[in-house]
Amino acid sequence: MLFLVAALLLLGVVLGAVVHAPLSFSLVTGAVIVVWLGVFALRERRGRRDPAH
């Protein structure tokens, strides 16, 4: 339960910060996060298929 409360609090802080940031900054930051998560997912998938790496 405490984890859920902390996660919701963090979500509120992040969304509050995004509201005050310019739209272009929010879009660029979102795109950077999406690319980073995509690269991470590809590396994880490659690592699970090839146990040598």
Side-chain angles (χ1 to χ4, degrees):
M1 182 70 176
L2 186 59
F3 176 75
L4 180 61
V5 171
L8 288 174
L9 180 65
L10 183 61
L11 179 65
V13 169
V14 170
L15 287 179
V18 169
V19 168
H20 295 290
L23 181 61
S24 60
F25 175 77
S26 298
L27 291 175
V28 169
T29 304
V32 168
I33 291 170
V34 166
V35 169
W36 176 51
L37 289 174
V39 169
F40 176 76
L42 288 173
R43 290 182 64 189
E44 284 294 312
R45 179 173 288 202
R46 180 181 294 166
R48 292 192 183 186
R49 270 194 277 162
D50 186 14
H53 291 140

